Amino acid sequence: MKAECTMDKTCNASGIQIPQALTSPQRLIPLVAFHRYKKPHLQSGLRIPFLQRHRVKLSHGLGRHFKLQITLRSKETLFKGHERQTNERPSFPASVIFRYVADRASVISEAENVNVSDLREILQYVPLFRERIFVVAVDGEVAESENFPNLLLDLAVLRSLSIKVVLVHGASRQIQNLAAARGIKITNSDGIGLTDEITLQVSIDAAIRLTNEIMEGLSSVDLRAAYINALIVHPAGILGGVDQLYTGKVERVDTKALRLLLDEGIIPVVPPMGFDGEGRTYRVNSDSVALEVAVELGAAKVLYLAPGNVFEDCTPLPRQLSISETEDLIKKRKSDLPAGLLSKLENGAKACRQGVARSHLLNGSINEGLLSEIFSHEGIGTMVYSNEYQQIRRIFKKDVRSVISLIRQSVQNEELVRRSRAEILESLNDYWLLEVDRSPVACVALHLYPEQSAAELACLHVRKAQENQGYGRKLMAFVENLSREKGVKTLFVLSTQAYSYLQQKGGFTAADPSLLPPERLAKYEASGRNSMVLVKILRP
């Protein structure tokens, strides 16, 4: 789209009209600039007319929309320098997304609680994912949903960060709709059951039509895409005494062809159809296709986007699962999980078992859910992991600053006692960090008093953004087990504000300070904090 500049409108270097109301010299906005060949960087105080000069790409999406995400820091921290220079005090929400339509603009969403730590959380993933391959598996029902144009915009964001994307799509809903429109009774629509010749023809028509619509959508967000015959399949054969006819099973994936496209910045679009060595077409299940493609390409992630209604019909799934936990969950809940979720969980676990680091299952109807799942520690869906996603480890000297930063707010709130760098270094081996994707989210310390066969649980803290997710209990259980290994019989903890939590979740009971080891009692009396003393008797 190209717009001509007029006297009452401001245009950037790419010819995009921007409303004059947003181009006032006083409307200074901080932003994170993501662009194709450079590292992401923080720029603040940039006027909207100069975005293009600062290499910010405005990508147009479906319906001739323009989408630009602007991430703001809190005004207290961000605008200090600006206030000193101008005595102005601009006020903006923490995160604003503008959508430009021709010559008008409207705010479509905003959130007040985005802060610098959130920004750092996002940015830490960017170098990890650059030039990695993500396989995105879109359910056919998601592909016809209102949110699908937004998903295509999310794929454009991934490509702008140099993440290579393979798009695998299903077509079950489209096959059902086309069969109903033609008055045809089909034998199966999801590529798992028997596929007769009539069902195969309907499947081919519906799947190829959807592939073309997806490629049109990708083109509309400035992404190059190509439909590729990359699946070599063979007949599923006779299962349970029944010939599955034209239902196929992936034999191998043409990874060379896929990589040629990926290296040229082209998104391969893979439909749920494959061919055998003699050119015969077979219907295959898209969830298993995504599994095979991810494994053969050595993808970093495979992301399954399911329709929102299947999540409404079952108990919520955990946010993170190991492979074994996923397999146990499938066995326990096989009868009550919707077929669409069960298939994606099973194939996700298989992908991780075969070398894919992460598989994700998320609601495809949530706007910007794909980006939220990828660029945050906890995400919005369920992640199955093959390597150590969470770990509790001793801290090293280089981690001391992270610990001090982690507990700073609790120290200011007088929830925890202040600890200097020297004090932490003095008892470095007592401190432990809980990390999520190599980022510290919680900490704890265990101070031993061997003469009394006692130990103190101290410095228990969980980052605010990760509260209410079980990390505190996980650290308490870890400390208890560690204490037992070291022959501790009595575990105690001192608290001014968290004693109710420790009693309810940790099983501690109130005790008299005189029960403390003499060395610890002296420090307790000298501190003047008058903390409540809680103890727990550990049984072998």
Side-chain angles (χ1 to χ4, degrees):
M1 174 181 179
K2 187 170 182 180
E4 295 178 0
C5 293
T6 61
M7 293 299 292
D8 61 338
K9 294 182 174 68
T10 303
C11 292
N12 67 5
S14 61
I16 298 173
Q17 290 183 350
I18 298 175
Q20 191 174 24
L22 295 177
T23 60
S24 166
Q26 284 75 37
R27 298 300 294 268
L28 299 180
I29 56 171
L31 57 93
V32 178
F34 291 101
H35 49 91
R36 190 175 298 273
Y37 301 111
K38 305 278 186 179
K39 290 183 178 180
H41 59 282
L42 183 66
Q43 297 179 337
S44 61
L46 299 181
R47 295 176 178 85
I48 287 186
F50 301 108
L51 291 180
Q52 189 66 23
R53 297 185 190 178
H54 290 273
R55 301 186 296 276
V56 179
K57 183 181 180 185
L58 299 180
S59 296
H60 74 277
L62 298 181
R64 297 169 70 85
H65 283 55
F66 291 89
K67 181 176 179 182
L68 166 67
Q69 181 155 340
I70 304 165
T71 305
L72 309 185
R73 289 198 270 177
S74 64
K75 60 186 179 183
E76 289 77 15
T77 57
L78 184 69
F79 291 112
K80 285 180 180 178
H82 180 68
E83 288 177 42
R84 285 196 297 268
Q85 297 174 13
T86 63
N87 290 322
E88 296 176 357
R89 191 171 175 79
S91 179
F92 295 99
S95 178
V96 181
I97 301 170
F98 288 99
R99 178 168 287 159
Y100 296 93
V101 187
D103 62 349
R104 63 186 179 87
S106 60
V107 177
I108 62 171
S109 67
E110 60 181 44
E112 297 289 346
N113 299 318
V114 178
N115 53 39
V116 178
S117 62
D118 298 322
L119 181 60
R120 288 175 180 149
E121 181 178 325
I122 294 169
L123 292 181
Q124 77 167 18
Y125 286 104
V126 175
L128 294 176
F129 295 155
R130 187 175 289 114
E131 300 301 329
R132 303 298 300 276
I133 297 173
F134 289 3
V135 176
V136 179
V138 180
D139 190 279
E141 191 171 341
V142 173
E144 69 173 20
S145 69
E146 293 181 357
N147 191 51
F148 190 60
N150 295 318
L151 289 172
L152 297 181
L153 287 168
D154 291 346
L155 295 183
V157 172
L158 297 183
R159 285 297 306 125
S160 72
L161 298 176
S162 298
I163 295 171
K164 299 177 179 180
V165 176
V166 178
L167 181 58
V168 177
H169 71 82
S172 179
R173 173 58 65 90
Q174 288 75 14
I175 293 170
Q176 293 172 16
N177 292 343
L178 185 58
R182 293 179 178 178
I184 297 173
K185 184 178 180 181
I186 57 175
T187 56
N188 177 262
S189 65
D190 61 10
I192 296 177
L194 185 153
T195 303
D196 62 15
E197 188 171 356
I198 294 176
T199 302
L200 177 65
Q201 292 305 316
V202 174
S203 300
I204 292 172
D205 293 345
I208 298 306
R209 180 183 299 177
L210 178 58
T211 300
N212 186 68
E213 291 173 357
I214 290 174
M215 291 179 65
E216 287 178 349
L218 290 168
S219 297
S220 71
V221 291
D222 288 339
L223 292 175
R224 294 186 296 161
Y227 158 56
I228 180 171
N229 170 22
L231 303 179
I232 294 85
V233 304
H234 61 256
I238 300 172
L239 301 176
V242 178
D243 189 346
Q244 302 300 301
L245 299 177
Y246 294 100
T247 298
K249 185 176 181 181
V250 178
E251 181 178 330
R252 65 182 178 89
V253 178
D254 189 348
T255 56
K256 184 177 180 180
L258 289 174
R259 290 187 186 280
L260 284 173
L261 293 176
L262 291 171
D263 291 343
E264 292 298 323
I266 299 172
I267 294 180
V269 179
V270 183
M273 313 298 296
F275 305 88
D276 66 7
E278 297 179 1
R280 286 186 290 263
T281 306
Y282 291 88
R283 170 78 166 100
V284 287
N285 176 260
S286 61
D287 294 338
S288 61
V289 169
L291 155 67
E292 298 294 341
V293 171
V295 171
E296 292 297 319
L297 285 175
K301 292 180 181 291
V302 55
L303 300 110
Y304 290 101
L305 277 64
N309 55 17
V310 299
F311 293 92
E312 299 170 0
D313 301 332
C314 68
T315 306
L317 297 170
R319 286 293 177 86
Q320 298 102 25
L321 291 165
S322 66
I323 300 174
S324 58
E325 288 172 338
T326 305
E327 293 168 343
D328 290 342
L329 183 143
I330 290 170
K331 290 177 183 178
K332 293 177 182 177
R333 297 183 56 184
K334 196 164 188 175
S335 60
D336 69 293
L337 281 174
L341 285 186
L342 184 62
S343 170
K344 291 169 176 56
L345 269 180
E346 288 176 335
N347 284 285
K350 289 177 183 177
C352 290
R353 185 67 77 182
Q354 296 179 49
V356 178
R358 306 274 194 272
S359 68
H360 301 255
L361 172 58
L362 60 149
N363 187 338
S365 64
I366 298 177
N367 187 21
E368 299 184 353
L370 183 62
L371 297 181
S372 298
E373 177 69 14
I374 292 172
F375 294 109
S376 65
H377 293 321
E378 304 309 321
I380 63 158
T382 295
M383 182 185 71
V384 181
Y385 56 92
S386 60
N387 54 9
E388 193 54 63
Y389 173 67
Q390 295 177 11
Q391 66 168 336
I392 300 173
R393 64 169 179 83
R394 288 187 190 274
I395 71 168
F396 302 106
K397 188 175 180 180
K398 64 180 182 180
D399 298 314
V400 173
R401 180 179 295 180
S402 296
V403 172
I404 293 174
S405 175
L406 192 64
I407 67 174
R408 181 177 290 117
Q409 189 59 51
S410 289
V411 172
Q412 293 175 358
N413 296 340
E414 298 186 8
E415 297 170 309
L416 294 177
V417 68
R418 181 183 177 278
R419 291 166 171 81
S420 67
R421 177 181 173 82
E423 289 171 332
I424 295 176
L425 287 173
E426 187 178 348
S427 53
L428 193 67
N429 290 333
D430 292 355
Y431 287 85
W432 299 79
L433 274 179
L434 189 154
E435 291 183 322
V436 174
D437 253 7
R438 294 182 286 181
S439 178
V441 300
C443 63
V444 72
L446 180 66
H447 303 308
L448 297 174
Y449 296 88
E451 293 183 2
Q452 290 80 25
S453 297
E456 178 184 5
L457 186 158
C459 198
L460 177 63
H461 176 80
V462 178
R463 197 169 72 177
K464 188 172 182 61
Q466 274 73 39
E467 288 179 351
N468 302 314
Q469 296 178 29
Y471 293 135
R473 280 176 288 179
K474 193 169 191 174
L475 283 175
M476 282 193 290
F478 171 79
V479 166
E480 283 188 31
N481 291 332
L482 187 63
S483 298
R484 289 189 180 93
E485 291 175 6
K486 296 182 179 296
V488 172
K489 296 180 180 178
T490 304
L491 185 65
F492 66 89
V493 58
L494 279 61
S495 176
T496 59
Q497 299 176 41
Y499 44 82
S500 294
Y501 172 82
L502 292 164
Q503 289 173 312
Q504 295 171 12
K505 305 297 184 181
F508 288 86
T509 57
D512 191 87
S514 61
L515 295 177
L516 295 174
E519 179 185 349
R520 187 63 184 92
L521 180 60
K523 292 181 180 179
Y524 171 84
E525 294 173 344
S527 70
R529 285 170 56 84
N530 196 30
S531 302
M532 179 176 285
V533 178
L534 304 163
V535 300
K536 184 173 185 177
I537 305 302
L538 301 182
R539 293 176 175 80

